[in-house]
Amino acid sequence: MEISDIKNLRIAIIGGGYGGASAAKALQSIGAENVHVYEQAPALAQVGAGIGLRPPSVELFRKWGMFQAIEAVSSPSDHLEILTADGGHVLATEEWPFMHAYAQVNHNRMIHRGDFIDALLSVLKEGTVHLGHKLSGIEDNGTDATLTFENGNTVTADLVIGADGIRSTIRHQLFSQKEPVFSGEHAYRAVISIDDAHGLVTDDNPRFYMGQNGTIAYNLPLRHRGQLSYDITARSEDRSWAPEITTDYLVNLLEGFDERIIQVAKELDLSTVTSRSVFDIDPLDSWHTGCVALLGDAAHAMLHHQGQGANSAILDADGLAEALLQGSSVPEALALYQAHRKPLTDELQRVSRQGWHADVVGSAFPANA
């Protein structure tokens, strides 16, 4: 499409998380001026835990002119380490893929999810984000789509991007009514002070401790914050969205683990622990109509084991922007976007479902992950 056509497109993005905010930045970077993000929350709060931004994502931040904003709130990591539960044996140590694939070295950036979203929102044009807009319905009119929000507002846009997460309203109403798929696992996450980490943090590199019973302790350092993102993933048959846990339960899960990991669990303030059942979705047949497209978790929510959820959403955002530049119309661009991104994310969903297993770890990064 011509830059003048992109400039005048009415674009509505549903969801103000990292997928929606990345899409807004990518689109504004190619000249789109009428981009609006609609977020259901009445205010944006610092929530979540640590994530790793992979080198290809970091390269896009350079491309979008916002690397310094990310650099200021993150720490550089050069490798991932996988260990036995007790920490006595290293199963794999590998450099982050694509770290040296660009003109400048792009380390994996360890960042708090809240800081990441804040950094993204800080580089968007004023007036881009609209809070308190929970989507209640969408009508695809063919050449445009009309959005209805619970606050009574309606919006019609030439391009609608559904970045509204694993429980996407847009996906449910237009693409698939299949429910998210329970993985048989729970994730318990907390962000603690390095002073309370009992020496687990020695550098900026994540370490995964692998239990034989399927329990994994993920330790993601956030040294720029003086913190550690502490994550226990364990098998469970409880499908409730936010299961209740006790300290004794966590400690029992960690039998045989490094004593430092157990001690952290004993000292956790459970009111600061995010407890979630782990879900993903089955790959969809299609992500788009002529004027509506899905992005990020709404299109391909995947399990967290490979750390590809946020990174895939970021790459989706760039893929969508590039497709608009290449296609002659919105429908053609959306077809190009899906053709480029869907095979990649289908494979990442498959690999992420394999998870990690202490007895078969031979590489930190399976193919295509």
Side-chain angles (χ1 to χ4, degrees):
M1 297 176 65
E2 299 294 333
I3 298 298
S4 58
D5 295 328
I6 295 172
K7 175 181 177 181
N8 294 322
L9 275 181
R10 297 172 297 170
I11 302 174
I13 301 172
I14 306 303
Y18 40 69
S22 293
K25 181 57 182 174
L27 292 167
Q28 288 180 348
S29 74
I30 64 168
E33 294 188 356
N34 195 357
V35 179
H36 294 274
V37 177
Y38 298 94
E39 164 58 38
Q40 66 178 345
L44 296 173
Q46 273 271 345
V47 296
I51 60 175
L53 299 173
R54 297 286 185 91
S57 297
V58 174
E59 183 65 15
L60 291 180
F61 303 142
R62 296 187 190 278
K63 174 181 175 180
W64 298 339
M66 58 171 292
F67 172 74
Q68 290 182 333
I70 296 296
E71 183 183 35
V73 291
S74 65
S75 295
S77 165
D78 55 35
H79 70 266
L80 169 68
E81 195 168 284
I82 303 175
L83 305 96
T84 54
D86 62 6
H89 179 61
V90 176
L91 300 172
T93 300
E94 289 187 32
E95 182 180 279
W96 295 102
F98 306 109
M99 196 169 77
H100 296 284
Y102 307 99
Q104 297 150 292
V105 175
N106 286 334
H107 290 89
N108 189 82
R109 307 297 306 193
M110 305 309 302
I111 193 168
H112 189 283
R113 181 183 183 277
D115 290 342
F116 177 38
I117 294 176
D118 286 349
L120 281 167
L121 296 178
S122 74
V123 298
L124 298 180
K125 294 178 181 178
E126 186 176 355
T128 298
V129 180
H130 307 272
L131 301 176
H133 279 70
K134 180 176 176 59
L135 185 70
S136 58
I138 179 170
E139 183 176 355
D140 189 333
N141 307 313
T143 57
D144 60 25
T146 301
L147 304 164
T148 303
F149 299 94
E150 289 188 359
N151 61 13
N153 290 345
T154 60
V155 171
T156 298
D158 304 307
L159 171 58
V160 173
I161 301 168
D164 49 343
I166 190 171
R167 296 179 179 270
S168 169
T169 297
I170 291 180
R171 185 183 71 242
H172 187 263
Q173 293 192 9
L174 293 184
F175 297 96
S176 172
Q177 294 187 351
K178 292 182 179 180
E179 293 298 318
V181 179
F182 179 49
S183 69
E185 293 179 318
H186 287 177
Y188 315 114
R189 298 185 176 108
V191 177
I192 64 172
S193 170
I194 285 178
D195 294 338
D196 298 326
H198 297 280
L200 284 169
V201 179
T202 57
D203 55 29
D204 294 311
N205 299 306
R207 288 177 172 82
F208 299 174
Y209 295 79
M210 313 294 295
Q212 292 290 338
N213 62 352
T215 299
I216 305 173
Y218 296 98
N219 284 257
L220 281 67
L222 302 169
R223 289 207 303 173
H224 56 285
R225 271 176 159 245
Q227 294 176 327
L228 169 69
S229 185
Y230 175 90
D231 179 321
I232 303 299
T233 297
R235 293 172 182 162
S236 175
E237 296 181 2
D238 179 4
R239 301 170 60 93
S240 57
W241 186 252
E244 295 185 4
I245 58 171
T246 65
T247 298
D248 286 344
Y249 171 76
L250 278 182
V251 171
N252 287 335
L253 282 178
L254 296 170
E255 183 179 355
F257 273 75
D258 187 309
E259 285 298 325
R260 298 170 298 175
I261 294 173
I262 296 172
Q263 193 60 35
V264 170
K266 289 179 178 179
E267 297 171 3
L268 282 176
D269 176 355
L270 293 186
S271 69
T272 68
V273 176
T274 300
S275 176
R276 290 287 184 268
S277 293
V278 181
F279 289 82
D280 67 359
I281 64 172
D282 290 327
L284 302 179
D285 293 333
S286 177
W287 293 358
H288 72 93
T289 66
C291 62
V292 181
L294 299 175
L295 181 146
D297 284 352
H300 48 67
M302 58 189 71
L303 303 186
H304 63 286
H305 301 296
Q306 294 294 333
Q308 288 285 8
N311 290 284
S312 293
I314 297 162
L315 269 63
D316 284 351
D318 181 66
L320 180 59
E322 288 297 316
L324 285 172
L325 290 172
Q326 296 169 17
S328 61
S329 64
V330 170
E332 183 178 330
L334 296 186
L336 289 171
Y337 160 64
Q338 175 174 304
H340 172 57
R341 291 294 303 152
K342 189 174 184 302
L344 300 172
T345 59
D346 282 355
E347 177 62 9
L348 285 174
Q349 284 181 294
R350 185 192 68 80
V351 171
S352 294
R353 279 183 170 178
Q354 294 177 351
W356 298 100
H357 303 283
D359 55 348
V360 297
V361 173
S363 170
F365 303 108
N368 300 306

mmCIF file of all heavy atoms in Angstrom, residues 322-341:
data_model
loop_
_atom_site.group_PDB
_atom_site.id
_atom_site.type_symbol
_atom_site.label_atom_id
_atom_site.label_comp_id
_atom_site.label_asym_id
_atom_site.label_seq_id
_atom_site.Cartn_x
_atom_site.Cartn_y
_atom_site.Cartn_z
ATOM 1 N N GLU A 322 4.865 -4.709 7.982
ATOM 2 C CA GLU A 322 5.539 -4.972 6.709
ATOM 3 C C GLU A 322 4.554 -5.450 5.648
ATOM 4 O O GLU A 322 4.678 -5.104 4.465
ATOM 5 C CB GLU A 322 6.644 -6.017 6.918
ATOM 6 C CG GLU A 322 7.849 -5.496 7.682
ATOM 7 C CD GLU A 322 8.554 -4.372 6.939
ATOM 8 O OE1 GLU A 322 8.746 -4.489 5.709
ATOM 9 O OE2 GLU A 322 8.900 -3.363 7.586
ATOM 10 N N ALA A 323 3.570 -6.240 6.048
ATOM 11 C CA ALA A 323 2.569 -6.722 5.095
ATOM 12 C C ALA A 323 1.740 -5.574 4.525
ATOM 13 O O ALA A 323 1.371 -5.585 3.341
ATOM 14 C CB ALA A 323 1.659 -7.743 5.774
ATOM 15 N N LEU A 324 1.455 -4.576 5.338
ATOM 16 C CA LEU A 324 0.717 -3.406 4.837
ATOM 17 C C LEU A 324 1.537 -2.657 3.793
ATOM 18 O O LEU A 324 0.990 -2.134 2.812
ATOM 19 C CB LEU A 324 0.345 -2.473 5.989
ATOM 20 C CG LEU A 324 -0.817 -2.935 6.880
ATOM 21 C CD1 LEU A 324 -0.953 -2.017 8.080
ATOM 22 C CD2 LEU A 324 -2.129 -2.969 6.101
ATOM 23 N N LEU A 325 2.848 -2.611 3.990
ATOM 24 C CA LEU A 325 3.706 -1.947 3.001
ATOM 25 C C LEU A 325 3.777 -2.752 1.699
ATOM 26 O O LEU A 325 3.891 -2.178 0.607
ATOM 27 C CB LEU A 325 5.121 -1.774 3.569
ATOM 28 C CG LEU A 325 5.290 -0.754 4.698
ATOM 29 C CD1 LEU A 325 6.701 -0.837 5.277
ATOM 30 C CD2 LEU A 325 5.006 0.668 4.201
ATOM 31 N N GLN A 326 3.687 -4.078 1.813
ATOM 32 C CA GLN A 326 3.839 -4.931 0.634
ATOM 33 C C GLN A 326 2.534 -5.164 -0.113
ATOM 34 O O GLN A 326 2.531 -5.296 -1.343
ATOM 35 C CB GLN A 326 4.427 -6.279 1.066
ATOM 36 C CG GLN A 326 5.834 -6.200 1.635
ATOM 37 C CD GLN A 326 6.262 -7.489 2.292
ATOM 38 O OE1 GLN A 326 5.670 -8.540 2.074
ATOM 39 N NE2 GLN A 326 7.306 -7.406 3.119
ATOM 40 N N GLY A 327 1.421 -5.243 0.604
ATOM 41 C CA GLY A 327 0.148 -5.543 -0.039
ATOM 42 C C GLY A 327 -0.453 -4.335 -0.727
ATOM 43 O O GLY A 327 -0.173 -3.191 -0.368
ATOM 44 N N SER A 328 -1.307 -4.593 -1.708
ATOM 45 C CA SER A 328 -1.945 -3.492 -2.432
ATOM 46 C C SER A 328 -3.224 -3.026 -1.759
ATOM 47 O O SER A 328 -3.792 -1.996 -2.134
ATOM 48 C CB SER A 328 -2.258 -3.926 -3.868
ATOM 49 O OG SER A 328 -3.161 -5.021 -3.869
ATOM 50 N N SER A 329 -3.701 -3.772 -0.772
ATOM 51 C CA SER A 329 -4.941 -3.440 -0.060
ATOM 52 C C SER A 329 -4.878 -4.081 1.323
ATOM 53 O O SER A 329 -4.015 -4.935 1.602
ATOM 54 C CB SER A 329 -6.149 -3.984 -0.823
ATOM 55 O OG SER A 329 -6.104 -5.408 -0.870
ATOM 56 N N VAL A 330 -5.813 -3.694 2.191
ATOM 57 C CA VAL A 330 -5.853 -4.299 3.522
ATOM 58 C C VAL A 330 -6.088 -5.808 3.431
ATOM 59 O O VAL A 330 -5.362 -6.588 4.074
ATOM 60 C CB VAL A 330 -6.910 -3.613 4.417
ATOM 61 C CG1 VAL A 330 -7.126 -4.411 5.704
ATOM 62 C CG2 VAL A 330 -6.472 -2.188 4.748
ATOM 63 N N PRO A 331 -7.064 -6.285 2.661
ATOM 64 C CA PRO A 331 -7.250 -7.750 2.584
ATOM 65 C C PRO A 331 -6.007 -8.488 2.099
ATOM 66 O O PRO A 331 -5.657 -9.551 2.642
ATOM 67 C CB PRO A 331 -8.412 -7.907 1.599
ATOM 68 C CG PRO A 331 -9.170 -6.631 1.705
ATOM 69 C CD PRO A 331 -8.129 -5.572 1.922
ATOM 70 N N GLU A 332 -5.328 -7.949 1.097
ATOM 71 C CA GLU A 332 -4.120 -8.612 0.605
ATOM 72 C C GLU A 332 -3.024 -8.588 1.663
ATOM 73 O O GLU A 332 -2.301 -9.575 1.847
ATOM 74 C CB GLU A 332 -3.618 -7.939 -0.672
ATOM 75 C CG GLU A 332 -2.390 -8.622 -1.275
ATOM 76 C CD GLU A 332 -1.923 -7.970 -2.563
ATOM 77 O OE1 GLU A 332 -2.767 -7.417 -3.295
ATOM 78 O OE2 GLU A 332 -0.705 -8.009 -2.825
ATOM 79 N N ALA A 333 -2.902 -7.479 2.369
ATOM 80 C CA ALA A 333 -1.886 -7.367 3.416
ATOM 81 C C ALA A 333 -2.136 -8.373 4.532
ATOM 82 O O ALA A 333 -1.196 -9.000 5.037
ATOM 83 C CB ALA A 333 -1.861 -5.948 3.971
ATOM 84 N N LEU A 334 -3.381 -8.540 4.920
ATOM 85 C CA LEU A 334 -3.683 -9.474 5.997
ATOM 86 C C LEU A 334 -3.401 -10.922 5.575
ATOM 87 O O LEU A 334 -2.965 -11.734 6.387
ATOM 88 C CB LEU A 334 -5.133 -9.312 6.453
ATOM 89 C CG LEU A 334 -5.476 -7.950 7.068
ATOM 90 C CD1 LEU A 334 -6.902 -7.951 7.617
ATOM 91 C CD2 LEU A 334 -4.487 -7.548 8.152
ATOM 92 N N ALA A 335 -3.649 -11.222 4.306
ATOM 93 C CA ALA A 335 -3.316 -12.557 3.806
ATOM 94 C C ALA A 335 -1.803 -12.778 3.825
ATOM 95 O O ALA A 335 -1.319 -13.867 4.193
ATOM 96 C CB ALA A 335 -3.868 -12.746 2.396
ATOM 97 N N LEU A 336 -1.030 -11.758 3.464
ATOM 98 C CA LEU A 336 0.426 -11.858 3.506
ATOM 99 C C LEU A 336 0.921 -12.014 4.940
ATOM 100 O O LEU A 336 1.838 -12.802 5.213
ATOM 101 C CB LEU A 336 1.050 -10.607 2.879
ATOM 102 C CG LEU A 336 0.923 -10.444 1.368
ATOM 103 C CD1 LEU A 336 1.390 -9.052 0.948
ATOM 104 C CD2 LEU A 336 1.740 -11.528 0.650
ATOM 105 N N TYR A 337 0.327 -11.265 5.838
ATOM 106 C CA TYR A 337 0.684 -11.336 7.258
ATOM 107 C C TYR A 337 0.500 -12.759 7.784
ATOM 108 O O TYR A 337 1.405 -13.341 8.396
ATOM 109 C CB TYR A 337 -0.177 -10.336 8.022
ATOM 110 C CG TYR A 337 -0.305 -10.566 9.509
ATOM 111 C CD1 TYR A 337 0.798 -10.491 10.355
ATOM 112 C CD2 TYR A 337 -1.566 -10.829 10.075
ATOM 113 C CE1 TYR A 337 0.661 -10.682 11.724
ATOM 114 C CE2 TYR A 337 -1.708 -11.015 11.439
ATOM 115 C CZ TYR A 337 -0.601 -10.951 12.264
ATOM 116 O OH TYR A 337 -0.737 -11.137 13.615
ATOM 117 N N GLN A 338 -0.658 -13.345 7.528
ATOM 118 C CA GLN A 338 -0.904 -14.700 8.009
ATOM 119 C C GLN A 338 0.033 -15.708 7.339
ATOM 120 O O GLN A 338 0.566 -16.600 8.001
ATOM 121 C CB GLN A 338 -2.353 -15.106 7.762
ATOM 122 C CG GLN A 338 -2.633 -16.555 8.143
ATOM 123 C CD GLN A 338 -4.089 -16.925 8.037
ATOM 124 O OE1 GLN A 338 -4.937 -16.292 8.645
ATOM 125 N NE2 GLN A 338 -4.391 -17.961 7.246
ATOM 126 N N ALA A 339 0.243 -15.569 6.047
ATOM 127 C CA ALA A 339 1.095 -16.521 5.324
ATOM 128 C C ALA A 339 2.517 -16.517 5.870
ATOM 129 O O ALA A 339 3.190 -17.556 5.902
ATOM 130 C CB ALA A 339 1.097 -16.187 3.833
ATOM 131 N N HIS A 340 2.986 -15.361 6.319
ATOM 132 C CA HIS A 340 4.345 -15.253 6.848
ATOM 133 C C HIS A 340 4.435 -15.724 8.289
ATOM 134 O O HIS A 340 5.331 -16.498 8.648
ATOM 135 C CB HIS A 340 4.816 -13.802 6.749
ATOM 136 C CG HIS A 340 6.120 -13.543 7.442
ATOM 137 N ND1 HIS A 340 7.283 -14.229 7.153
ATOM 138 C CD2 HIS A 340 6.437 -12.673 8.445
ATOM 139 C CE1 HIS A 340 8.261 -13.795 7.933
ATOM 140 N NE2 HIS A 340 7.770 -12.862 8.729
ATOM 141 N N ARG A 341 3.496 -15.310 9.125
ATOM 142 C CA ARG A 341 3.639 -15.530 10.555
ATOM 143 C C ARG A 341 3.038 -16.849 11.053
ATOM 144 O O ARG A 341 3.572 -17.465 11.970
ATOM 145 C CB ARG A 341 2.992 -14.357 11.319
ATOM 146 C CG ARG A 341 3.718 -13.038 11.193
ATOM 147 C CD ARG A 341 5.083 -13.078 11.848
ATOM 148 N NE ARG A 341 4.988 -13.450 13.247
ATOM 149 C CZ ARG A 341 5.967 -14.078 13.926
ATOM 150 N NH1 ARG A 341 7.099 -14.401 13.325
ATOM 151 N NH2 ARG A 341 5.803 -14.391 15.206
#
